[in-house]
Amino acid sequence: QKEVEQNSGPLSVPEGAIASLNCTYSDRGSQSFFWYRQYSGKSPELIMSIYSNGDKEDGRFTAQLNKASQYVSLLIRDSQPSDSATYLCAPYNQGGKLIFGQGTELSVKP
Amino acid sequence: GVSQNPRHKITKRGQNVTFRCDPISEHNRLYWYRQTLGQGPEFLIYFQGTGAADDSGLPNDRFFAVRPEGSVSTLKIQRTQQEDSAVYLCASSLVQGGNEQYFGPGTRLTVT
């Protein structure tokens, strides 16, 4: 079992739709969770962090965390073509390092 | 932000390379990751202050990194091999808070 699993995609959604990105993790000691966006040829950019069960909203982005199910998700409302990128999930367990999933490629079609 | 140089490095197999990372000034933790095409970043090593707190991700003894004054770090790869070709990413964070890590632009290494 991989430590962090994400659907590799590509996930294709029409402009204006909601994009739903999912991530499961194996380390029950994980306490913080981060979502990074990575455009092709660029480095990862931190877009969301979530530390407790439930939802956290920031603009068009909502992160959802369920520690009992070891599941974290990212919803992007009103998707725009500029949201087309790879989204990386990364749990953190106080050990210092982030363990990344392979990422989900999102394509938003105009 | 975090700065890295060089941005690109092409080298021949067997040569040594050195990469530099300048973290965000108030950040006391510095991380090195590497990323290959289609994969998420893979942890290599991180520093808290001047010391390596976790170097469990270094693949072999050809890789080593230092942070002598607790700020700038260098990652060195000796006797490069083709499988070392990757993007080497540096990130930094504060110990306090949620350890949100911010990445530099990366150094793309191509070993021919």
Side-chain angles (χ1 to χ4, degrees), chain B residues 86-97:
Chain B
V87 176
Y88 290 82
L89 295 162
C90 178
S92 67
S93 74
L94 283 172
V95 174
Q96 298 84 358

Side-chain angles (χ1 to χ4, degrees), chain B residues 39-88:
Chain B
Q39 302 298 315
E42 173 192 23
F43 171 78
L44 296 176
I45 185 171
Y46 92 87
F47 294 87
Q48 183 154 333
T50 59
D54 183 351
D55 64 357
S56 62
L58 295 178
N60 52 59
D61 62 5
R62 295 187 295 105
F63 289 72
F64 66 98
V66 294
R67 194 187 186 199
E69 297 179 358
S71 178
V72 170
S73 176
T74 55
L75 173 69
K76 301 183 181 184
I77 308 174
Q78 295 181 317
R79 305 182 303 282
T80 52
Q81 303 296 313
Q82 283 192 320
E83 61 263 29
D84 299 334
S85 296
V87 176
Y88 290 82

Side-chain angles (χ1 to χ4, degrees), chain B residues 1 4 17 23 53 58 72 89 100 106-107:
Chain B
Q4 293 185 245
V17 295
L58 295 178
V72 170
L89 295 162
E100 296 178 341
T107 295

Side-chain angles (χ1 to χ4, degrees), chain A residues 2 32 34 36 38 41-46 48-49 51 56 88 92 94-103, chain B residues 7 29 31 33 35 38-43 46 54 56-57 89 97-106 108:
Chain A
K2 290 182 180 178
S32 307
F34 303 100
Y36 286 82
Q38 188 171 29
K42 302 295 186 183
S43 62
E45 173 192 8
L46 180 65
M48 284 290 284
S49 56
Y51 306 104
K56 178 182 178 183
L88 297 160
Y92 171 73
Q94 299 298 321
K97 61 189 177 187
L98 295 176
I99 304 296
F100 285 88
Q102 70 179 68
Chain B
R7 295 292 306 278
R29 283 190 176 177
Y31 307 80
Y33 294 83
Q35 187 175 26
Q39 302 298 315
E42 173 192 23
F43 171 78
Y46 92 87
D54 183 351
S56 62
L89 295 162
N99 193 54
E100 296 178 341
Q101 298 183 20
Y102 296 90
F103 284 85
R108 181 177 297 277

Side-chain angles (χ1 to χ4, degrees), chain A residues 29-101:
Chain A
S30 299
Q31 300 183 13
S32 307
F33 301 84
F34 303 100
W35 282 97
Y36 286 82
R37 176 176 63 198
Q38 188 171 29
Y39 292 114
S40 180
K42 302 295 186 183
S43 62
E45 173 192 8
L46 180 65
I47 55 171
M48 284 290 284
S49 56
I50 186 166
Y51 306 104
S52 55
N53 282 330
D55 295 359
K56 178 182 178 183
E57 186 175 320
D58 184 1
R60 296 187 294 112
F61 298 99
T62 299
Q64 300 174 315
L65 174 60
N66 183 326
K67 290 185 179 179
S69 300
Q70 296 174 256
Y71 174 85
V72 59
S73 66
L74 180 70
L75 300 178
I76 306 174
R77 291 182 300 282
D78 188 24
S79 296
Q80 301 297 309
S82 59
D83 295 326
S84 297
T86 295
Y87 289 80
L88 297 160
C89 168
Y92 171 73
N93 68 356
Q94 299 298 321
K97 61 189 177 187
L98 295 176
I99 304 296
F100 285 88

